[in-house]
Amino acid sequence: MAGTVTVPGSSVPLTPLLKDELDIVIPTIRNLDFLEMWRPFFQPYHLIIVQDGDPSKVIKVPEGFDYELYNRNDINRILGPKASCISFKDSACRCFGYMVSKKKYVFTIDDDCFVAKDPSGKDINALEQHIKNLLSPSTPFFFNTLYDPYREGADFVRGYPFSLREGAPTAVSHGLWLNIPDYDAPTQMVKPRERNSRYVDAVLTIPKGTLFPMCGMNLAFDRQLIGPAMYFGLMGDGQPIGRYDDMWAGWCVKVICDHLSLGVKTGLPYLWHSKASNPFVNLKKEYKGIFWQEDIIPFFQSATLSKECDTVQKCYISLSEQVREKLGKIDPYFVKLADAMVTWIEAWDELNPSAAATAPSDAAAENGKVAAK
């Protein structure tokens, strides 16, 4: 049953960034002991825990965290028939947490991810870096060869147009991983012992018109700017595909961000991905997607949105129609997915009625005010 637990007292700083404006969303099927390592960084923030699998199982959360926990029974109760759009037995269920959050920003993390160290041996505050990424502009229209020009010690290089130096509001901050890379099953099989030990101290804006494979295990975004597009699709139980939830969301998000002149950053922060999933299990989940993505990616590369699509919701509904028309020819699953995309937007607007009436330009303007503080 959903509930809120608040325990006073904390050793963390008194004024963490965006303390009252950000939720941390965690999908899980197990006790959240991993939070102990994150306590210095996460304890001041509100957690939304989305329990997957058996709703009768009791998930233990370490003392001292302020959280809500939702299981499948709660999802069914809150969304009614529209709960069909939320995946079951798959981490894609995390997007329910995005929907019920009332905060401006969301950070989501997997429960097998731990605090990484930078090359000096210092613990990396991944959340703080995500916030810095989101509160500074992006540069999607012209690539800066010194990467993020808004970081301390960097700037725009010679030849960068002055007319573009204000940048664009940042909608998404996509972090990376040390130790276990986010590989697909075939790559896992041929490189079973490969580990990522390379720490690259850089944040890049992904250029307009360029897609990317978004990973949901270390991700932050501005709900007001792009939240309704952060749908992780239909995956897991009863579906023919898995492990494409975050990538599907990323492709949709990037097309919409490009259309609405919003930015997507990737690079810092790193976290420590501790556990490699079974490549043979992964292959069973992925194999259709591995074939389908050769059609899915060209679809998104050629997708167009009209000037009438001036909100994220309108953009997303337009994408759903194109998914039904074009990808539906590949497999009936995409017709079902297109229907779920519409259901997701309807459910989002029911739970977020004021957000449904907010134009991206208004939200972007508000984002600019925050960034300027």
Side-chain angles (χ1 to χ4, degrees), residues 238-255:
Q239 309 303 333
I241 186 175
R243 285 174 54 84
Y244 273 81
D245 52 331
D246 42 9
M247 289 183 287
W248 178 265
W251 296 326
C252 293
V253 160
K254 189 57 167 62
V255 169

Side-chain angles (χ1 to χ4, degrees), residues 244-309:
Y244 273 81
D245 52 331
D246 42 9
M247 289 183 287
W248 178 265
W251 296 326
C252 293
V253 160
K254 189 57 167 62
V255 169
I256 293 173
C257 282
D258 287 351
H259 177 72
L260 297 177
S261 296
L262 302 173
V264 177
K265 293 181 179 180
T266 188
L268 300 180
Y270 284 91
L271 43 68
W272 183 268
H273 186 206
S274 66
K275 186 176 68 176
S277 49
N278 187 309
F280 298 98
V281 173
N282 289 347
L283 186 60
K284 288 180 66 177
K285 297 177 180 179
E286 293 176 1
Y287 78 95
K288 285 193 174 182
I290 291 170
F291 290 104
W292 287 346
Q293 72 183 17
E294 301 305 318
D295 292 305
I296 294 172
I297 292 172
F299 161 77
F300 279 108
Q301 288 173 327
S302 62
T304 58
L305 298 169
S306 70
K307 63 180 181 180
E308 285 74 26
C309 293

